[in-house]
Amino acid sequence: MRAPDWLTARPVAHRGLHDISRGVVENMPGAVQAAIAGNFSIEVDIQLSADGEAMVHHDHALGRLTEATGEVVEKTAAELKAVKFKDTDERMMSLSDLCAMVAGRVPLVIEVKSHFGGDRKLVKRMAEVLASYQGPAVGMSFDPDQVLALRELLPSRPRGIVAQRTSEDEYWAKLTQAQRDSMLYLRHGFQTQPHFVAFKVDHLPAPAPWIARNVLGCALLGWTVRTPEQRTRVGQYADQMIFEGFVP
């Protein structure tokens, strides 16, 4: 069940090696190039466009980083690539664009963002893109159903679950209690069979990731490391860190 050694061999730059103070925006080409230059693995997020493309973007809605607004899933890939981002002249990439840029030079850690509605079109498109990609890449998601989709549609690539100890914060308020419960304690693990776990660093140590790492043999990443204290914690309890805000 363990992920390949290259997944934990180097720190993972969260959404690329971004620094908004220097005009390097998360999930943008500049952040990707900076991570490659630093020889870091790259974590990115993908969202589904209206026409079924996998787009590199974290938020479900535009507006936090962009001059445009609206839901990502309601816009076509062409429309999303035309969106202007604040503080940069760069544009949103598709997963295909990202793969062409990275070209296997460093590993990709691709988080599948989910609306928790059972739609697997994003993983299907991800599988199509990665079928012809020769570089190291893994997929992961908070949504157990998307991890199961990764297992079924992309069995040749390592897969992981993103998790935390609780799901009571505002981000999860839209989910039913049953959906939130299904994500806790990695109870879906025997079905999804993850090769690694990405766990919230401030929630380490915890029983579920300890069992996943020490009993089931899963690699364990800690996210998102921003402070020296968090770096110490991830060094004690995990195999590698997903970091931002500094250069290791």
Side-chain angles (χ1 to χ4, degrees), residues 57 59-64 66-75 80 83 92:
H57 192 66
D59 301 352
H60 291 310
L62 301 172
R64 178 173 64 92
T66 66
E67 297 177 5
T69 58
E71 295 292 314
V72 172
V73 73
E74 295 176 355
K75 298 183 183 296
L80 291 168
V83 167
M92 193 184 302

Side-chain angles (χ1 to χ4, degrees), residues 8-24:
T8 55
R10 66 191 83 181
V12 183
H14 186 235
R15 306 179 195 171
L17 196 62
H18 59 92
D19 182 352
I20 195 66
S21 68
R22 298 190 295 109
V24 183

Side-chain angles (χ1 to χ4, degrees), residues 130-143:
L130 292 185
S132 59
Y133 184 64
Q134 300 302 311
V138 300
M140 65 180 186
S141 182
F142 272 105
D143 185 347

Side-chain angles (χ1 to χ4, degrees), residues 4-245:
D5 290 342
W6 51 253
L7 178 63
T8 55
R10 66 191 83 181
V12 183
H14 186 235
R15 306 179 195 171
L17 196 62
H18 59 92
D19 182 352
I20 195 66
S21 68
R22 298 190 295 109
V24 183
V25 180
E26 65 180 53
N27 282 319
M28 292 285 105
V32 170
Q33 295 286 12
I36 294 170
N39 197 32
F40 298 117
S41 298
I42 303 169
E43 186 268 354
V44 296
D45 310 282
I46 57 172
Q47 297 271 0
L48 187 69
S49 69
D51 52 348
E53 188 57 86
M55 303 300 296
V56 180
H57 192 66
H58 176 269
D59 301 352
H60 291 310
L62 301 172
R64 178 173 64 92
L65 297 172
T66 66
E67 297 177 5
T69 58
E71 295 292 314
V72 172
V73 73
E74 295 176 355
K75 298 183 183 296
T76 67
E79 289 172 330
L80 291 168
K81 288 186 178 185
V83 167
K84 291 184 177 181
F85 279 69
K86 302 170 185 176
D87 303 313
T88 181
D89 293 326
E90 295 185 312
R91 295 290 186 269
M92 193 184 302
M93 298 179 288
S94 68
L95 181 58
S96 295
D97 297 331
L98 173 68
C99 289
M101 179 179 295
V102 176
R105 287 177 286 175
V106 297
L108 289 174
V109 179
I110 303 166
E111 181 178 344
V112 178
K113 306 304 289 187
S114 175
H115 292 272
F116 292 88
D119 189 337
R120 296 185 173 187
K121 288 196 291 289
L122 181 54
V123 172
K124 181 179 179 181
R125 178 56 183 155
M126 176 182 171
E128 292 171 349
V129 172
L130 292 185
S132 59
Y133 184 64
Q134 300 302 311
V138 300
M140 65 180 186
S141 182
F142 272 105
D143 185 347
D145 186 65
Q146 298 301 315
V147 182
L148 183 58
L150 288 168
R151 180 187 174 192
E152 294 174 352
L153 299 174
L154 202 57
S156 63
R157 296 282 182 175
R159 59 190 169 272
I161 187 74
V162 190
Q164 55 192 68
R165 191 184 296 169
T166 63
S167 57
E168 302 303 320
D169 51 76
E170 184 179 350
Y171 182 82
W172 307 110
K174 63 182 180 181
L175 302 186
T176 66
Q177 189 63 48
Q179 286 176 312
R180 281 181 280 172
D181 289 346
S182 73
M183 295 188 295
L184 297 178
Y185 313 121
L186 305 178
R187 59 183 60 171
H188 53 78
F190 289 105
Q191 183 181 26
T192 55
Q193 296 186 17
H195 300 91
F196 68 96
V197 176
F199 209 81
K200 187 171 184 176
V201 65
D202 290 337
H203 290 180
L204 291 173
W210 187 93
I211 292 171
R213 185 190 189 199
N214 295 286
V215 178
L216 300 179
C218 292
L220 181 59
L221 305 176
W223 61 269
T224 301
V225 173
R226 299 180 176 92
T227 68
E229 293 77 16
Q230 290 172 330
R231 189 169 184 179
T232 297
R233 182 182 294 270
V234 85
Q236 291 175 323
Y237 302 112
D239 299 301
Q240 191 51 271
M241 63 178 170
I242 301 174
F243 73 95
E244 72 172 25

